[in-house]
């Protein structure tokens, strides 16, 4: 019979101790064997490298953490060699190239949640991923993606192009219902922006975005439609896009303004006005329904200016390239800068010619370092013709004209909904500066200055009334800023232009006074109860027929009272011009004091001045839909673009994406 010591030597896995609960087997014992060293001392031997580790001495057990580290952290030299010799990829259920088979089972720790497999949810998440990251729909059929998913979850049956296309459209339709409910809760009117994108097929896509302010006086915007227009330069392109949006979202009667970034002929504007006249009440005879994009106007003026000085700009760009594309040239440039003690802190960089702000910044930085450029070795064959001192002076003139354009456009990048009040202030300053510069007889700048002035005058002519009324709705400025700026712009003729704004404000206010004031459900319910009680006690004494004249009297006196609401607002003192002043928040606090005027202010302050996203404000070219998207059907493009934007907004009323419930 074997002795107890011989029995212990035959043990592979640790025997349970008497009167102790048996523990579950750890995964480390697939890589270690327990060996008896001496009486009461056992060690764990690695099956790979034969190195031994402490396991138990007497009643003390060392545990398995250090054994796990030996395997998991890659400190076992034999295991590392086996892994390095692997040439076949790992597949589930097969060996991994080592002598030891893969673990047969693992026990999850209490901190690891159990997530049940849900094939439908996986399909939903694939559709979400494609939408959110602009992945091609065909990626679900790419071999690399298929292999990855099969290794990740073999139970998931891969989907086809048609299936994932249907899932993406379903996501779009589901989110559209949420956006519809969201818009239905908006108390004010909706303003639209039309951002026209080109494509490599000479087609255009009109991105129609709705802007509105909610009941809590917070601004919102949502892409509502992407309408493919086969003939973007036709007179009906924009009106067709607007008609599609009004019909699709039931916005007839709620539209307040349209801002666009595409050249429109006079006939095109008339078509748009005619459409809006039929389906939407005109505000101020349609003067608020058309507006140009300020970002595109500023970009157009900047492009004209840079085109006029293109030869100078090219010379400076080539000089910057000479320095920045060679490490030795840049070191020499820094050395010369230190020797000349040039105080400039600007850093040189090569501009991106699709973004005019980068060209402006390149010119500013290079102009401050012109003395250093003049000391470079012009005999170097790599160095092209350097700008002369006259050309540097002309470059500084270009920068001087670009600066106010750059400052104004930079304001559009600070927020997704630029304020019309701020743009009013910037535009009238630019127009005043250009009017003064137009009298300059400089042969270099005079021709381009007049062209720039013409574009800013056209923008001001089309949008000044909208911008001015927005200024009046700001309690920090009211009519005072209009009077001040117009006196600077128009001189002796300022009074006539100021009166146009005053008349416009008053006329618009009267239109809001004439609008019916809807009763709240509580008020209506209380009114009905009161009418029943009166009729019970008084009979027909207070019937409608007996109070017709009284109703007329109430309307007349109410109208008079509403008119004084505007007068009271304009007569109050201006508020301090605080940097962080929230004009919408002020109207929210004063909506009971100015009930009609606050509704007018909400709609006016909704009007967007730009169609461009913050990252597209400085673009010099029209946005172009990529080749892949252009190959899709128009309705698919609309579904992918709109759903991507909608999914970025997280909220219980707007997103159908629920959190995964973990089963512990």
């Amino acid at each position: 019979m074997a002795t107890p010591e011989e029995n212990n030597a035959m043990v592979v896995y640790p025997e349970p101790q008497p009167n102790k609960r048996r523990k579950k087997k750890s995964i480390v014992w697939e890589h270690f064997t327990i060996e008896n060293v001496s009486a009461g001392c056992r060690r764990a031997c690695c099956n790979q490298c034969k190195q031994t580790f402490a396991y138990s001495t007497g009643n003390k057990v060392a545990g398995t953490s250090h054994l796990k580290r030996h395997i998991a952290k890659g400190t076992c030299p034999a295991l590392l060699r086996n892994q390095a010799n692997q040439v076949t990829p790992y597949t589930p259920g097969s060996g991994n190239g080592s002598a030891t088979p893969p673990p047969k089972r693992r026990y999850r720790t209490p901190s690891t949640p159990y997530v049940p497999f849900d094939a439908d949810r996986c399909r939903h998440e694939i559709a979400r991923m494609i939408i959110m990251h602009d992945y091609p729909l065909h990626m679900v059929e790419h071999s690399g993606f298929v292999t990855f998913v099969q290794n990740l979850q073999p139970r998931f049956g891969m989907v086809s192009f048609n299936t994932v296309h249907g899932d993406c459209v379903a996501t779009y339709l589901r989110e559209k219902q949420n956006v519809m409910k969201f818009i239905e809760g908006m108390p004010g009117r909706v303003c639209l922006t039309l951002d026209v994108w080109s494509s490599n097929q000479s087609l255009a896509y009109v991105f129609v975005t709705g802007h509105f302010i909610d009941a809590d006086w917070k601004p919102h915007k949502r892409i509502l439609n992407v309408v493919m227009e086969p003939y973007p330069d036709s007179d009906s392109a924009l009106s067709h896009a607007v008609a599609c949006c009004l019909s699709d979202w039931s916005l007839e009667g709620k539209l307040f303004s349209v801002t666009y970034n595409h050249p429109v002929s006079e006939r095109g504007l008339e078509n748009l006005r005619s459409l809006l006249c039929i389906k939407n009440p005109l505000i101020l005879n349609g003067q608020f329904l058309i507006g140009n994009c300020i970002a595109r106007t500023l970009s157009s003026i900047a492009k004209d200016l840079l085109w006029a000085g293109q030869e100078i700009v090219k010379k400076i760009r080539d000089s910057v390239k000479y320095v920045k594309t060679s490490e030795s040239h840049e070191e020499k440039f820094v050395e010369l800068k230190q020797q000349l003690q040039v105080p400039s802190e600007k850093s040189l960089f090569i501009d991106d010619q699709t973004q005019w702000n980068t060209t402006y910044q390149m010119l500013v930085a290079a102009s401050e370092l012109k003395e250093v450029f003049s000391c470079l070795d012009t005999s170097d064959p790599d160095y092209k013709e350097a700008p002369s001192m006259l050309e540097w002076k002309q470059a500084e003139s270009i920068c001087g004209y670009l600066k106010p354009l750059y400052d104004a456009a930079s304001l559009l990048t600070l927020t997704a909904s630029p304020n019309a009040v701020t743009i009013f202030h910037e535009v009238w300053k630019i127009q005043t500066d250009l009017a003064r510069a137009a009298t300059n007889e400089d042969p270099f700048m005079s021709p381009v200055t007049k062209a720039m002035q013409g574009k800013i005058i056209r923008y001001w002519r089309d949008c000044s009334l909208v911008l001015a009324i927005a200024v009046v709705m700001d309690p920090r400025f009211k009519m005072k800023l209009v009077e001040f700026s117009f006196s600077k712009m128009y001189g002796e003729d300022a009074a006539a232009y100021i009166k146009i704004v005053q008349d416009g404000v008053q006329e618009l206010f009267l239109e809001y006074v004439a609008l019916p004031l809807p009763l709240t459900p509580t008020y209506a319910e209380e009114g009905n109860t009161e009418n029943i009680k009166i009729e019970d006690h008084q009979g027909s004494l207070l019937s409608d027929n007996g109070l017709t004249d009284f109703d007329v009297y109430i309307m007349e006196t109410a109208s008079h009272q509403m008119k004084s609401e505007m007068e009271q607002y304009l007569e109050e003192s201006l508020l301090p011009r605080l940097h962080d002043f929230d004009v919408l928040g002020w109207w929210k606090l004063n909506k009971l004091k100015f009930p009609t005027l606050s509704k007018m202010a909400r709609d006016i302050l909704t009007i967007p001045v730009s169609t461009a996203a913050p990252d597209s404000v400085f673009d010099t070219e029209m946005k172009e839909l990529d080749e892949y998207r252009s190959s899709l059907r128009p309705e698919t493009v609309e579904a992918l673009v709109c759903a991507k934007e909608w999914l970025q907004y997280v909220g219980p009323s707007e997103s159908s994406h629920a959190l995964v419930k973990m089963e512990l």
Side-chain angles (χ1 to χ4, degrees):
M1 180 177 293
T3 65
E5 289 76 9
E6 291 172 340
N7 287 335
N8 287 339
M10 298 169 62
V11 171
V12 177
Y13 297 104
E15 294 289 338
Q17 298 295 324
N19 301 324
K20 287 188 179 180
R21 204 170 158 188
R22 181 182 178 89
K23 295 183 180 179
K24 295 178 181 178
K25 185 176 65 173
S26 172
I27 191 175
V28 299
W29 301 120
E30 297 175 1
H31 300 276
F32 288 89
T33 302
I34 295 177
E35 297 178 348
N36 285 331
V37 177
S38 61
C41 179
R42 291 185 296 175
R43 294 180 68 83
C45 177
C46 175
N47 296 332
Q48 296 285 335
C49 65
K50 304 305 178 181
Q51 186 177 352
T52 62
F53 299 85
Y55 178 66
S56 67
T57 304
N59 294 328
K60 284 187 174 183
V61 179
T64 59
S65 297
H66 60 305
L67 307 181
K68 291 178 181 178
R69 286 195 295 270
H70 180 71
I71 297 299
K73 299 296 183 181
T75 57
C76 177
L79 186 62
L80 288 175
R81 284 195 300 271
N82 289 334
Q83 291 176 345
N85 293 331
Q86 278 186 297
V87 293
T88 58
Y90 171 78
T91 56
S94 64
N96 59 1
S98 65
T100 304
K104 296 180 181 179
R105 53 179 177 170
R106 296 176 183 268
Y107 292 92
R108 61 185 178 91
T109 62
S111 61
T112 304
Y114 169 69
V115 183
F117 173 67
D118 186 340
D120 291 337
R121 180 157 192 84
C122 291
R123 283 178 48 185
H124 171 74
E125 291 302 332
I126 287 178
R128 251 179 92 87
M129 175 189 70
I130 288 174
I131 292 171
M132 291 293 292
H133 302 289
D134 296 328
Y135 294 142
L137 294 171
H138 287 286
M139 74 170 292
V140 295
E141 297 176 346
H142 293 172
S143 59
F145 183 73
V146 171
T147 302
F148 168 74
V149 174
Q150 288 178 343
N151 283 316
L152 194 65
Q153 178 50 267
R155 295 166 59 191
F156 179 68
M158 281 306 301
V159 294
S160 64
F161 169 87
N162 291 332
T163 302
V164 77
H165 176 270
D167 291 342
C168 290
V169 172
T171 301
Y172 158 74
L173 294 175
R174 184 167 52 249
E175 294 300 324
K176 184 174 183 178
Q177 292 300 316
N178 295 327
V179 177
M180 278 187 168
K181 293 178 182 178
F182 187 63
I183 294 178
E184 287 174 359
M186 295 297 121
R189 295 175 182 266
V190 176
C191 299
L192 297 182
T193 56
L194 310 179
D195 189 12
V196 183
W197 290 39
S198 64
S199 72
N200 58 358
Q201 299 172 338
S202 72
L203 304 174
Y205 293 81
V206 183
F207 287 58
V208 185
T209 303
H211 302 253
F212 30 79
I213 295 175
D214 64 19
D216 197 37
W217 292 82
K218 300 298 182 184
H220 299 270
K221 69 173 185 176
R222 298 289 187 276
I223 294 180
L224 302 180
N225 295 94
V226 179
V227 184
M228 190 270 285
E229 293 294 339
Y231 306 103
D233 296 325
S234 67
D235 295 333
S236 60
L238 293 187
S239 58
H240 173 256
V242 172
C244 290
C245 179
L246 296 180
S247 174
D248 194 17
W249 295 88
S250 301
L251 293 178
E252 291 89 346
K254 295 191 67 175
L255 184 61
F256 191 67
S257 73
V258 176
T259 305
Y260 58 88
N261 69 344
H262 190 68
V264 182
S265 64
E266 287 298 325
R267 181 64 181 276
L269 293 179
E270 289 303 319
N271 289 341
L272 188 55
R273 287 195 177 98
S274 298
L275 170 70
L276 296 169
C277 182
I278 296 172
K279 294 192 175 183
N280 188 78
L282 283 178
I283 302 295
L284 286 185
N285 297 321
Q287 294 181 79
F288 280 179
L289 296 175
I290 307 297
N292 292 313
C293 172
I294 183 62
R296 297 286 74 83
T297 301
L298 295 175
S299 292
S300 178
I301 296 173
K303 283 173 59 179
D304 290 346
L305 189 56
L306 292 172
W307 178 259
Q310 58 180 318
E311 294 183 1
I312 299 172
V313 173
K314 186 179 184 305
K315 282 187 178 181
I316 294 176
R317 182 181 293 119
D318 289 340
S319 297
V320 173
K321 284 182 181 180
Y322 173 79
V323 173
K324 296 299 294 182
T325 56
S326 170
E327 185 175 351
S328 61
H329 295 167
E330 188 165 12
E331 290 176 355
K332 179 63 176 177
F333 190 86
V334 172
E335 182 182 344
L336 288 172
K337 178 183 175 182
Q338 293 173 347
Q339 291 176 359
L340 297 172
Q341 298 181 349
V342 178
S344 175
E345 297 296 330
K346 301 286 185 182
S347 298
L348 290 178
F349 65 93
I350 304 172
D351 64 326
D352 175 4
Q353 296 182 51
T354 65
Q355 298 272 313
W356 65 266
N357 61 315
T358 64
T359 304
Y360 163 70
Q361 292 167 333
M362 179 191 71
L363 294 177
V364 170
S367 295
E368 292 187 5
L369 297 168
K370 59 180 179 293
E371 296 177 5
V372 184
F373 279 104
S374 63
C375 293
L376 291 176
D377 184 9
T378 56
S379 62
D380 189 332
D382 293 334
Y383 191 34
K384 299 181 180 180
E385 184 180 359
S388 65
M389 293 310 296
L390 175 60
E391 288 171 329
W392 281 116
K393 185 177 180 180
Q394 291 173 339
E396 292 174 353
S397 297
I398 293 174
C399 292
Y401 281 93
L402 284 174
K403 186 180 187 307
L405 305 179
Y406 173 78
D407 292 341
S410 295
L411 295 174
L412 302 176
T413 65
L414 301 179
T415 173
S417 302
N419 195 312
V421 179
T422 304
I423 296 304
F424 172 89
H425 188 63
E426 295 297 323
V427 172
W428 82 259
K429 286 195 306 181
I430 293 173
Q431 185 171 350
T432 303
D433 292 343
L434 289 178
R436 188 183 304 113
T439 61
N440 193 345
E441 298 300 329
D442 182 358
F444 173 69
M445 294 303 302
S446 181
V448 68
T449 301
K450 293 178 180 178
M452 294 166 58
Q453 187 183 21
K455 289 189 175 182
I456 203 68
I457 286 176
R458 282 196 297 273
Y459 176 83
W460 183 258
R461 182 188 62 216
D462 294 340
C463 303
S464 59
L465 182 60
V466 177
L467 299 178
I469 294 181
V471 169
V472 176
M473 292 295 100
D474 191 322
R476 297 171 297 172
F477 302 112
K478 301 182 181 179
M479 281 297 301
K480 295 300 182 182
L481 181 58
V482 175
E483 295 167 359
F484 171 78
S485 57
F486 279 23
S487 64
K488 296 287 187 181
M489 294 174 59
Y490 300 115
E492 296 178 354
D493 299 329
Y497 292 97
I498 294 172
K499 189 175 186 307
I500 292 175
V501 177
Q502 291 173 333
D503 293 345
V505 171
Q506 193 62 238
E507 182 181 345
L508 183 61
F509 177 69
L510 292 178
E511 292 190 22
Y512 275 83
V513 170
L515 294 175
L517 297 177
L519 298 177
T520 61
T522 304
Y523 180 82
E525 183 179 351
E526 292 176 354
N528 291 337
T529 304
E530 186 66 17
N531 287 340
I532 293 173
K533 291 180 180 179
I534 291 175
E535 189 171 355
D536 288 342
H537 291 282
Q538 304 294 337
S540 60
L541 179 62
L542 298 181
S543 65
D544 290 341
N545 293 334
L547 291 176
T548 303
D549 293 339
F550 177 71
D551 292 338
V552 175
Y553 168 75
I554 290 296
M555 292 179 63
E556 290 176 350
T557 55
S559 177
H560 177 72
Q561 184 179 0
M562 291 300 182
K563 291 179 184 177
S564 63
E565 187 181 312
M566 170 65 80
E567 296 170 356
Q568 179 184 353
Y569 167 73
L570 293 177
E571 289 172 0
E572 289 183 354
S573 300
L574 300 180
L575 296 182
R577 295 193 304 276
L578 301 177
H579 176 69
D580 56 348
F581 179 75
D582 181 6
V583 62
L584 293 178
W586 186 89
W587 280 108
K588 177 185 177 181
L589 294 175
N590 289 271
K591 64 182 179 180
L592 297 180
K593 182 179 180 181
F594 303 113
T596 301
L597 202 57
S598 64
K599 294 178 182 179
M600 172 177 160
R602 177 166 50 203
D603 291 341
I604 289 293
L605 296 174
T606 306
I607 297 178
V609 294
S610 173
T611 67
D615 59 348
S616 303
V617 168
F618 296 100
D619 286 353
T620 57
E621 302 294 337
M622 179 185 293
K623 284 286 188 181
E624 182 174 343
L625 208 65
D626 60 75
E627 184 176 357
Y628 169 71
R629 301 257 170 174
S630 300
S631 67
L632 301 174
R633 292 184 299 177
E635 53 270 26
T636 303
V637 174
E638 181 176 64
L640 295 174
V641 171
C642 293
K644 177 183 178 180
E645 203 249 4
W646 298 341
L647 288 171
Q648 294 175 4
Y649 298 95
V650 179
S653 63
E654 297 177 76
S655 178
S656 61
H657 180 58
L659 295 176
V660 179
K661 294 182 179 179
M662 301 294 187
E663 289 187 13
L664 299 179

